[in-house]
Amino acid sequence: MMSQEVIALHMRLQLRTLVAASACCLCVFIVPSGVVDAGPTDTPPTHKTITVGTRTVKLTLARPTADAPPPAFLVVFASGDGGLRGVSKSLLVHLSEQNYWVAGFSSPEAFKGIADDSKRQPNYAGARDRLVSIVAQAKQAMGLPEQTPIVITGMSRGANVVVAAAGDTVLKPGIAGAVAIALTREFDDLTVPDTVMGRPGVQADDQGRLQTYPSLQRLGSMRLAIIQSTNDSYVRSSESRRLLGPDTPTRRLYEIASKNHSFGGGQEPLMRALDDAMAWVGQSLTAP
């Protein structure tokens, strides 16, 4: 009798194992459009120096594999003030490790001397033209069609680039979504003609600096994710929440418990938030 009970117990355990294995086989993993399963890339990033107006800009270009099919979108990443170093470099590397097609650049290098080139006149149009050139040359260098949409991402000064580009009437049709990391309150060194001041989304503080959060209304229905540190020395995440308001179908705020503007002590949750934000933004390409 004992032997029969042991045999019966063994058969029940085998059955449970088979059921669990079958359930695992039925699992479906949903991957956002434009990215394949994450893992080590077969192709290391390459670098290309391009000419933008009278300046040169070094691009960092990453793709999943040398023979990867064209993506649903290209990720364009703009660095913070330190260039593609520190947290900016970590973010760029992480995006490439998730097998996105990525084109990264240093924001200070890309927009250096913009005031001189504009001959001390409003420099907004000149800054936009530089970004248009960077995106076009990045696509060309990666062999992508000109009409490939982009998801524009950036850190700190680069987050300002994100917001300015995503709200621009010329650039917006080619942008699928946006992720701004460590967004500051004002645009760095960006100026517009007096004739456009006061238009919807165009506001300045008492020092004449254009404001980022009011300009978000210029993005319309485009999906935008903001990732902000709880102790950001420029704009804490709590203040970002106040300025942004509650999350909506097209706006999300990720608050990262960390020490400072560079997300000290919080890089792991920063990367997890970036993954979630990219997946959400990428879904806009297939959303009804």
Side-chain angles (χ1 to χ4, degrees):
M1 183 66 177
M2 182 65 69
S3 177
Q4 289 179 345
E5 290 177 350
V6 170
I7 292 172
L9 177 60
H10 180 68
M11 291 179 67
R12 286 197 297 272
L13 289 173
Q14 282 186 319
L15 179 60
R16 289 177 183 176
T17 302
L18 288 171
V19 170
S22 299
C24 183
C25 290
L26 291 174
C27 290
V28 177
F29 294 93
I30 300 175
V31 180
S33 179
V35 61
V36 298
D37 291 339
T41 58
D42 294 336
T43 306
T46 60
H47 302 282
K48 181 179 178 61
T49 299
I50 61 174
T51 300
V52 180
T54 61
R55 310 285 171 168
T56 58
V57 176
K58 182 179 179 181
L59 299 179
T60 297
L61 308 171
R63 68 180 73 197
T65 61
D67 57 351
F73 57 82
L74 170 67
V75 180
V76 174
F77 179 82
S79 81
D81 279 340
L84 290 174
R85 299 182 296 175
V87 182
S88 288
K89 180 179 179 180
S90 297
L91 290 164
L92 179 63
V93 169
H94 183 80
L95 286 167
S96 69
E97 288 176 345
Q98 303 312 301
N99 288 331
Y100 290 105
W101 289 59
V102 187
F105 64 90
S106 163
S107 295
E109 183 179 69
F111 301 104
K112 181 179 180 181
I114 191 70
D116 294 335
D117 288 358
S118 300
K119 297 180 171 52
R120 303 298 175 181
Q121 297 299 308
N123 59 27
Y124 178 88
R128 178 188 60 205
D129 291 346
R130 288 194 186 188
L131 184 59
V132 167
S133 179
I134 289 169
V135 172
Q137 292 188 67
K139 289 179 182 178
Q140 185 178 34
M142 302 182 83
L144 296 177
E146 182 180 348
Q147 65 270 24
T148 303
I150 69 169
V151 169
I152 189 156
T153 65
M155 164 84 183
S156 190
R157 180 182 291 265
N160 294 347
V161 175
V162 169
V163 172
D168 183 81
T169 55
V170 173
L171 292 167
K172 191 189 299 185
I175 299 177
V179 180
I181 304 162
L183 181 64
T184 58
R185 189 183 297 271
E186 59 276 329
F187 290 105
D188 294 308
D189 306 321
L190 193 64
T191 56
V192 297
D194 292 339
T195 54
V196 304
M197 291 301 301
R199 291 183 184 178
V202 184
Q203 295 182 24
D205 62 11
D206 55 5
Q207 298 181 46
R209 299 174 300 182
L210 291 171
Q211 300 295 287
T212 55
Y213 282 87
S215 74
L216 298 183
Q217 65 177 289
R218 300 173 65 238
L219 276 65
S221 61
M222 183 187 300
R223 289 190 182 186
L224 165 73
I226 297 175
I227 305 176
Q228 207 76 7
S229 168
T230 53
N231 288 297
D232 192 301
S233 56
Y234 296 97
V235 180
R236 291 174 181 263
S237 62
S238 57
E239 177 67 1
S240 183
R241 170 60 73 196
R242 186 187 70 79
L243 293 167
L244 184 67
D247 286 352
T248 71
T250 59
R251 302 286 182 269
R252 280 190 183 182
L253 173 66
Y254 296 82
E255 301 189 60
I256 307 301
S258 50
K259 298 175 182 178
N260 49 37
H261 185 64
S262 299
F263 299 92
Q267 285 214 9
E268 285 190 15
L270 166 63
M271 298 308 173
R272 289 197 297 269
L274 177 60
D275 290 342
D276 190 82
M278 289 296 300
W280 174 67
V281 167
Q283 289 168 5
S284 65
L285 291 171
T286 56

